Structures are given as structure tokens and as C-alpha cells.
């Protein structure tokens, strides 16, 4: 006979599995198992077939509900270039730290020295960043 604590153990195991394989799917399955355990506290004579059916229905409802809510709450961020640092600099003005010779030079941008690509220009020239390719910033005279 399956008892309430069996479902709670399953809920804990599914929660632990979520830490190893994140994606929120096991978290909701664990929640469904915990709810079935609570139902068994109230109604301990519930047959195992009904327990399994209740678990399946709760799990499906949780997964579908999560998908529905995540689509509704999808929004744009106020920092779209957070993980693309070079893209943050496009359109900004900077002074060349050294000359651009044969299309390559260096510019002090923020707290770092960056490689820039553009037309040959002397050191001290103001440039505008017009593009980025990896860690290389493309510039033009401002």
C-alpha cells in the first residue's frame, strides 16, 4: 500500500533531480507528488490507481500552467546587451590611445584597452564605434 510519505520521498527525489538536471520540469513533478501526499493525509484510503491518476493530472496541469504563464510573462529586458559587452559600445565616441596603422589600432574604452579596426588615423583622434566582431571593435572617424 502506498502511503503519504512515499509521495513526499518521491517529491524530495524529484526536487533533488532538478538540481542536477535543471529546467523546472522535475520541480513541478515533485510539487505534484507532494500534493498527492497531502491528499493522502486527508483521505488515506484512496486506491493507488487513483493516486497515480491524481499525480498524472496534477503534473500535466502544472507543466501546462507553467508554459502558459511563461509565455504571458515574456518581456524584453532593459539591458539587451548584458552578455555582449562589445555590442554595448556601438554608437559611442572614444579617443584613440594609439594610431590605427594598416587598419588596426588600440583605444582605451572604459577600464580596458580594446583593439579597433578602421581607416588609418593618428593617436588622439575621436572615433565612433560602428560595429563589433567578437572582441574587435570597428570604428570610423567621428
Amino acid at each position: 500500500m502506498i502511503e503519504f510519505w512515499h509521495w513526499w520521498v518521491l517529491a524530495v527525489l524529484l526536487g533533488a533531480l532538478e538540481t542536477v538536471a535543471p529546467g523546472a520540469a522535475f520541480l513541478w513533478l515533485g510539487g505534484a507528488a507532494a500534493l498527492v501526499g497531502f491528499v493522502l493525509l486527508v483521505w488515506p484510503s484512496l486506491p493507488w490507481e487513483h493516486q497515480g491518476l491524481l499525480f498524472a493530472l496534477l503534473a500535466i496541469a502544472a507543466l501546462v500552467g507553467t508554459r502558459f504563464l511563461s509565455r504571458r510573462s515574456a518581456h524584453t529586458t532593459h539591458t539587451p546587451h548584458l552578455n555582449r559587452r562589445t555590442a554595448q559600445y556601438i554608437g559611442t565616441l572614444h579617443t584613440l590611445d594609439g594610431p590605427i596603422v594598416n587598419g588596426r589600432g588600440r583605444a582605451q574604452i572604459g577600464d580596458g584597452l580594446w583593439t579597433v579596426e578602421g581607416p588609418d588615423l593618428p593617436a588622439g583622434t575621436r572615433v565612433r564605434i560602428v560595429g563589433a566582431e567578437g572582441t574587435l571593435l570597428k570604428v570610423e572617424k567621428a
Side-chain angles (χ1 to χ4, degrees), residues 1-4 6-7 32-58:
M1 173 147 182
I2 299 175
E3 300 199 22
F4 71 92
H6 291 116
W7 287 104
L35 284 174
V36 172
F38 282 115
V39 168
L40 280 180
L41 276 176
V42 176
W43 189 9
S45 63
L46 186 67
W48 68 268
E49 295 92 349
H50 293 126
Q51 294 175 34
L53 181 62
L54 180 61
F55 172 72
L57 292 174
L58 289 172

Side-chain angles (χ1 to χ4, degrees), residues 11-32:
V12 169
L13 291 174
L14 288 168
L17 188 57
E18 178 69 25
T19 63
V20 178
F26 293 114
L27 183 67
W28 296 114
L29 294 176

Side-chain angles (χ1 to χ4, degrees), residues 21-106:
F26 293 114
L27 183 67
W28 296 114
L29 294 176
L35 284 174
V36 172
F38 282 115
V39 168
L40 280 180
L41 276 176
V42 176
W43 189 9
S45 63
L46 186 67
W48 68 268
E49 295 92 349
H50 293 126
Q51 294 175 34
L53 181 62
L54 180 61
F55 172 72
L57 292 174
L58 289 172
I60 291 169
L63 292 172
V64 169
T66 302
R67 294 284 182 188
F68 178 73
L69 289 175
S70 67
R71 285 187 186 156
R72 288 188 64 201
S73 66
H75 62 281
T76 58
T77 178
H78 63 282
T79 54
H81 301 298
L82 181 63
N83 292 324
R84 295 187 344 228
R85 188 171 179 196
T86 54
Q88 296 175 18
Y89 296 130
I90 295 175
T92 59
L93 296 173
H94 300 280
T95 304
L96 289 176
D97 192 53
I100 296 179
V101 179
N102 294 326
R104 293 280 173 115
R106 308 281 282 171

Side-chain angles (χ1 to χ4, degrees), residues 119-138:
D120 290 353
L121 298 168
T125 305
R126 293 287 284 171
V127 293
R128 178 183 323 276
I129 299 174
V130 294
E133 191 173 294
T135 59
L136 178 69
L137 298 171
K138 299 183 180 201

